[in-house]
Amino acid sequence: MATYKVRVATGTDLLSGTLDCISLTIVGTQGESHKQRLNHFGRDFATGAVDDYTVQCQQDLGELIIIRLYKERSSFFPKDPWYCNYVQICAPNGRIYHFPAYQWMDGYETLALREATGKTTADDSLPILLQHRQEEIRAKQDFYHWRVFVPGLPNYVHIPSYHPPVRRCHNPNRPEWNGYVPGFPILINVKATKFLNLNLRFSFLKTASFFFRLAPMSLALKIRGLLDCKRSWKRLKDIRNIFPATKTVISEYVADHWMEDTFFGYQYLNGINPNVIRRCMCIPDKFPVTDDMVAPFLGEGTCLQGELEKGNIYLADYCILEGIPTVELNGQKQHHCAPICLLHLNSQGNMMPIAIQLSQTPGPDCPIFLPSDCEWDWLQAKTWVRYAEFYCHEAISHLLETHLIGEAFCLAMLRHLPMCHPLYKLLIPHTRFTVQINSIGRALLLNEGGLSARAMSLGLKGFAEVMVRALSELTYDSLCVPNDFMERGVQDLPGYYFRDDSLAVWDAMERYVTDIITYYYPSDAAVEGDPELQCWVQEIFKECLLGRQSSGFPTCLRTVPELIRYVTTIMYTCSARHAGVNSGQLEYTSWMPNFPPSMRRPPMEAKGLSTQQTFMDTLPDVKTTCIVLLVLWTLSREPDDKRPLGHFPDIHFVEDAPRRSMEAFRHRLNQISHDIRRRNKCLPIPYNYLDPVLIENSISI
């Protein structure tokens, strides 16, 4: 007789436990155990429980390779899902085998799990293991399908409008949200989230914290009458009272300093959209700025050409927004422009705006606004630039370049990499809850009656058009952080804390990825000869980049360095890149004039006509402001159940080498966090959005 000691861990999230019957079969290289029910005749498989059992076999099973978990009907209770963390088995020789699950068993079904050692196809020789990985991939490809979201945008997870025949059942004990938020003028379509496989959904804790925070805030705005008020703001200071309880040091600084040129320029470096600015070596013909115009703002003893040659002139060009039609909001036509802004890095190290043109086409009805113009002309010109920043941030830097691309990375991984694959183990923590938050995001932002239709000048179609244009220009190099800074010519720009922190996190991440990749891929031939890896890369190119060769995204990977760069880019995109553009949303947008989503009067065609009243009449009305800020407040507040970067509680890697690499990664991140906090003590505006302890492992909000 051979005795196997079995330990089964149930998830800790509320309602992870089950009353259904769980049985087990153990498969080894020398035999297979009988099917045995795991039962202490008590409360087995409760939430958070770690239960121990004994399985007796007639003979030693050899090296353990697979287990099968059977979830079957209990005689007394209706079926309910069970979340299994892992199964550990101690063999008669004392060796402990780990079988990671970290997934739901939803109906009455069988789940086959491999032992946790990471293996590519080349590492498997046993027919049963090769068959298992093929069946796992086939089952996931049968369940997870691609679907066109908007033509020209990355495709996304097809969510069926019916219950699939396997791995899905309704749980009457699991609360469903009907999409209604009291007082909120957007009814969120939860059809997109209701039929998500449980393995893609938020945990109970995250769901509760997400929606239960939204409802009271929206109800409060409704009671105060703000969500029904279509008039202009009477006083700018009233905007401060929309979210009086959510003020921070930075949000107060924004409200106090938003009119200052110094802060306007600072935001290009360390605001929530710090990926736009680029060094200008030659003034473009479409922006006829002359030395006479800007000489007073460059300092003594220099000129525009001299500053261009020194590398002190920078450009923010919003040409991607040109020609997109606007919609009506609250019965009033909205307006739009695609401005160009010229900036100068002065001798004090401040980035200062020195010229703004509110069109891509110069002419007599398109003056170039300067800091020497009257106060309201210059302020309104800067506000038009901040309006353009809203769309470049929300549509491109945030939604497209993190959420939509991250979801495509996730789906391709699920469809082509089995759980035993080392790249699956490496990347699965960086996909947690991404599909769920994107389903909510599409409902909140990108449907009829959503935010883009109710509170943005460009409406739903215009907002989507911005993303389509951006994807058509997106390149692989632009997502590779060091290359992006070099290409924009900002690699040595002083005071660019976003760049400094990005490179530090990228370096730590790249070293971690290098450790893992080189452990499992000893040669270039191992990379090129991995069919699952190559199918994964090909599908990302096809479904995310839509097969566009000019993107520079690879269709295959042939060397270890190529794989390291590719995986680091994905991991960074799904974690730190998102944190850099998401975490500060509310702080920089709660003062609406700093980030307006709509403009109710057309861009100025002449100087000297702007007043405080015209400025107030140009800004969004009260209702539009509150709708936008309520949604951004919801999507920028990290709910509970957060996993910071480098925090990997799920045990996917069991070998000593990758475990040591994970610990070294955490150590590097801790040092980066220490350096950032020490630096921030000396800054008037702390920059902490890329502090590793504040970066989420995945795009989950």
Side-chain angles (χ1 to χ4, degrees), residues 590-662:
S590 59
W591 181 253
M592 177 272 294
N594 188 57
F595 215 59
S598 64
M599 299 290 261
R600 294 181 296 151
R601 290 174 62 95
M604 305 91 74
E605 296 182 350
K607 295 187 178 184
L609 302 179
S610 300
T611 65
Q612 181 176 2
Q613 189 59 50
T614 61
F615 180 76
M616 300 296 289
D617 290 342
T618 301
L619 293 175
D621 59 36
V622 176
K623 178 179 179 179
T624 300
T625 300
C626 291
I627 290 175
V628 170
L629 293 187
L630 182 57
V631 172
L632 293 181
W633 178 83
T634 303
L635 296 178
S636 62
R637 289 178 62 85
E638 181 62 51
D640 297 323
D641 197 9
K642 177 181 178 181
R643 292 185 179 177
L645 185 62
H647 180 63
F648 306 127
D650 296 349
I651 305 171
H652 289 283
F653 287 114
V654 293
E655 300 97 309
D656 289 340
R659 300 294 295 179
R660 288 194 299 267
S661 299
M662 294 165 65

Side-chain angles (χ1 to χ4, degrees), residues 180-188 214 218 222 227 444 627 630-631:
Y180 178 65
V181 177
F184 191 46
I186 299 175
L187 182 65
I188 300 175
L214 172 61
S218 59
K222 180 73 173 179
L227 289 176
L444 275 172
I627 290 175
L630 182 57
V631 172

Side-chain angles (χ1 to χ4, degrees), residues 476-505:
Y476 183 44
D477 278 348
S478 70
L479 293 182
C480 180
V481 169
N483 296 63
D484 177 59
F485 290 127
M486 292 290 292
E487 192 275 331
R488 292 193 288 117
V490 294
Q491 66 275 14
D492 56 357
L493 186 57
Y496 200 0
Y497 309 120
F498 163 77
R499 177 206 56 216
D500 299 341
D501 298 351
S502 295
L503 291 174
V505 174

Side-chain angles (χ1 to χ4, degrees), residues 237-312:
K237 66 178 183 179
D238 292 340
I239 300 172
R240 271 187 137 130
N241 298 322
I242 298 177
F243 297 129
T246 60
K247 295 178 181 178
T248 67
V249 171
I250 294 179
S251 67
E252 288 295 281
Y253 190 96
V254 173
D256 290 337
H257 299 273
W258 68 284
M259 297 175 67
E260 299 171 6
D261 289 356
T262 303
F263 182 67
F264 178 90
Y266 170 87
Q267 292 186 81
Y268 279 107
L269 305 182
N270 303 306
I272 55 174
N273 193 33
N275 299 299
V276 171
I277 195 171
R278 60 179 55 244
R279 180 167 281 151
C280 178
M281 305 306 295
C282 179
I283 303 297
D285 293 339
K286 65 181 181 180
F287 193 19
V289 177
T290 66
D291 187 68
D292 289 341
M293 290 180 183
V294 299
F297 321 117
L298 300 178
E300 296 182 2
T302 188
C303 63
L304 180 57
Q305 184 59 38
E307 293 302 294
L308 286 167
E309 294 172 357
K310 293 177 184 176
N312 291 333

